[in-house]
Amino acid sequence: MWGFSRYSFVAFFLFFIAFSLNSTPQLTVFIHGTVASVLQMINLKEIVSGAFCADHKGFKLSEKFREDSLNGQEQIMFSQGLVHVPEKNLSEYRLGLLSEEECKKAAYHIIGAYDDMARFYTPNADLQYAAFGWMGHLTAKCRQSAACELYCALIDYRDACIIQNGCEPEINLVGHSHGGTVALYLAEAEALYQKHLKINLVCMLGTPMHKEIAPFIHDDMFKNIVLISSAGDFVQAYDKFSTGEHKSYCKMSDIVDLSAISQQNLGLSRADIIVQVHDAPRRVDHVNLWFLEKSTKIIDALDVFPFVVLVPSLIHAHNMQSTAILLRACIHECPNKKASIRFAFCADGFFKHFFSQMSVDQILEEARARTLATWHPLERSRHIVLNKKNIAVLKNIIK
């Protein structure tokens, strides 16, 4: 009897230690980019001059467009502000128990697949998710305002975690397009409020680089910053409207000396990662980085999913590259296996590391099957602008 009790106690003690070591909450916040940029271009002159405001027609139309719930059918977008995604909802999504209306929301499908990938690498972590919604106007002022709102929400979340868990959470931000700019503007909010917010990771997908945000890349409130770009993304280089310099760049290293940052502070990591498909360098574009089943399909293994669901794998593989600040990540799809992928990393001109996980293929296969069976949006179309969803939203805002 004693032997059983002794081993039971040891097992419980080891479990308790393991749980304690992995109980730090890890919150990943997804931030969408500019909304209805075509409508905002009605007032292009005002955008370029920095005078774009609530009095302008493009401003009003884009506001109405943003508030239509149909936008949430193709990207991670809820209402404005920080909206937490309950684990209960993700569990119901996996079990096929979400309502038909909830299943139409792209967030559950994209975050569900992202979570499956993340848990493969950190199975015992306390993973939590949220989406931050902002107005999405094509102005620096709007992005600054959104960052202040996000900052205050994250401070409230951090303080609540400290009270509840006795430790600070790990906060990761994943932003598409100017959603990544909003994340970087948190450094400006920190300078204003000085609440000592710390961000573990900022992962930007297709975020245009403007020189006014260069100082934020240096800021030590961000431990790790990764910018994912691609040769097929034409938005990054041509988003010259909402920046004072009227120039836009594709890499952080175009506006900042990344190696100097790491040398000055060994605890900080900065990296530009250029992604491509091995036989089609331009197939990854600004849209399929983020949107569900929009633009060109990247590879068969992803099918309807955007590139963002691969971020946990990419970050895991990038961490194995240590100090590399400029990498090319080539996605290879095994010709004999429809759903088999691997990353090949190229640093300094040579492909040095191959990353492949058959379990990742299985995770994607199961996620694809769930989404294809349950996601029933207004229209299944890869058209970016002229699709039923956009037409329906336009009709709603004209009413």
Side-chain angles (χ1 to χ4, degrees):
M1 185 70 180
W2 161 250
F4 174 79
S5 300
R6 180 178 62 186
Y7 289 121
S8 297
F9 175 78
V10 171
F12 175 79
F13 179 77
L14 291 175
F15 171 80
F16 178 79
I17 293 296
F19 179 81
S20 299
L21 291 174
N22 292 286
S23 60
T24 300
Q26 298 180 27
L27 176 68
T28 297
V29 181
F30 297 91
I31 312 171
H32 66 78
T34 303
V35 178
S37 57
V38 175
L39 293 177
Q40 296 185 53
M41 290 296 180
I42 294 173
N43 296 105
L44 179 58
K45 181 180 178 181
E46 288 77 15
I47 291 173
V48 172
S49 67
F52 191 53
C53 66
D55 294 331
H56 297 117
K57 188 174 183 179
F59 191 102
K60 295 174 181 177
L61 287 175
S62 63
E63 273 195 339
K64 291 182 179 179
F65 193 98
R66 166 64 181 86
E67 292 307 305
D68 197 302
S69 62
L70 286 174
N71 290 300
Q73 292 190 5
E74 58 187 22
Q75 64 171 310
I76 301 173
M77 182 185 286
F78 294 111
S79 59
Q80 292 190 61
L82 188 65
V83 179
H84 290 268
V85 179
E87 173 58 32
K88 174 178 175 289
N89 289 32
L90 290 178
S91 297
E92 289 178 349
Y93 156 71
R94 292 190 181 93
L95 295 172
L97 299 177
L98 277 181
S99 68
E100 182 179 347
E101 199 58 35
E102 290 289 284
C103 277
K104 290 179 181 179
K105 297 176 181 178
Y108 294 118
H109 301 277
I110 298 173
I111 296 176
Y114 186 104
D115 180 58
D116 290 342
M117 300 287 276
R119 290 185 187 280
F120 174 75
Y121 303 107
T122 53
N124 297 318
D126 179 10
L127 302 182
Q128 302 176 13
Y129 297 96
F132 178 73
W134 58 294
M135 191 53 66
H137 286 139
L138 197 56
T139 67
K141 184 177 180 180
C142 181
R143 297 189 283 267
Q144 290 170 306
S145 176
C148 284
E149 182 181 354
L150 175 59
Y151 181 91
C152 294
L154 290 176
I155 289 297
D156 290 343
Y157 169 79
R158 181 201 66 183
D159 293 348
C161 281
I162 293 174
I163 294 172
Q164 183 175 346
N165 302 299
C167 61
E168 286 198 24
E170 178 183 293
I171 299 175
N172 305 302
L173 308 176
V174 180
H176 176 245
S177 194
H178 277 305
T181 313
V182 170
L184 291 181
Y185 267 117
L186 286 174
E188 189 174 77
E190 172 61 35
L192 177 64
Y193 295 109
Q194 299 183 16
K195 297 290 185 179
H196 309 295
L197 180 67
K198 293 295 181 182
I199 304 296
N200 176 62
L201 169 68
V202 173
C203 178
M204 301 178 286
L205 296 98
T207 298
M209 291 290 101
H210 298 161
K211 285 193 175 179
E212 55 258 41
I213 63 174
F216 309 144
I217 298 173
H218 287 270
D219 203 294
D220 63 2
M221 78 173 293
F222 306 117
K223 183 178 180 181
N224 305 287
I225 303 178
V226 171
L227 172 59
I228 297 172
S229 59
S230 67
D233 187 345
F234 299 105
V235 172
Q236 274 187 302
Y238 289 98
D239 182 19
K240 306 173 183 181
F241 312 112
S242 59
T243 169
E245 190 192 22
H246 301 308
K247 289 184 180 180
S248 189
Y249 305 88
C250 298
K251 302 190 300 293
M252 287 189 291
S253 55
D254 291 332
I255 61 173
V256 169
D257 184 353
L258 297 184
S259 59
I261 296 175
S262 299
Q263 290 169 4
Q264 293 166 6
N265 192 329
L266 297 178
L268 304 183
S269 172
R270 306 289 186 263
D272 288 311
I273 302 180
I274 303 171
V275 296
Q276 67 179 70
V277 177
H278 72 286
D279 60 347
R282 296 183 182 276
R283 190 180 298 166
V284 180
D285 59 37
H286 197 72
V287 176
N288 60 24
L289 280 169
W290 184 259
F291 287 78
L292 194 62
E293 200 180 33
K294 283 288 177 284
S295 189
T296 306
K297 178 168 64 175
I298 299 175
I299 52 174
D300 288 337
L302 283 172
D303 199 353
V304 299
F305 285 122
F307 183 87
V308 66
V309 303
L310 292 179
V311 164
S313 289
L314 189 66
I315 295 299
H316 173 79
H318 165 256
N319 289 340
M320 300 170 68
Q321 306 303 308
S322 63
T323 58
I325 60 173
L326 177 60
L327 291 167
R328 292 185 181 275
C330 188
I331 309 170
H332 289 260
E333 189 161 37
C334 214
N336 299 324
K337 294 183 179 180
K338 184 177 180 182
S340 180
I341 63 171
R342 63 178 180 172
F343 287 118
F345 276 87
C346 173
D348 304 321
F350 298 97
F351 283 102
K352 295 181 177 180
H353 173 72
F354 288 88
F355 170 77
S356 180
Q357 287 284 359
M358 291 305 296
S359 298
V360 169
D361 302 330
Q362 184 178 353
I363 289 169
L364 284 175
E365 185 177 355
E366 293 173 358
R368 283 198 318 274
R370 284 197 307 264
T371 292
L372 290 173
T374 60
W375 182 56
H376 302 294
L378 184 65
E379 178 191 28
R380 293 288 298 275
S381 167
R382 289 191 176 273
H383 293 294
I384 301 169
V385 178
L386 297 177
N387 56 63
K388 287 183 180 179
K389 188 277 294 183
N390 284 343
I391 293 172
V393 175
L394 287 173
K395 288 181 179 178
N396 289 341
I397 65 177
I398 292 173
K399 291 178 181 178

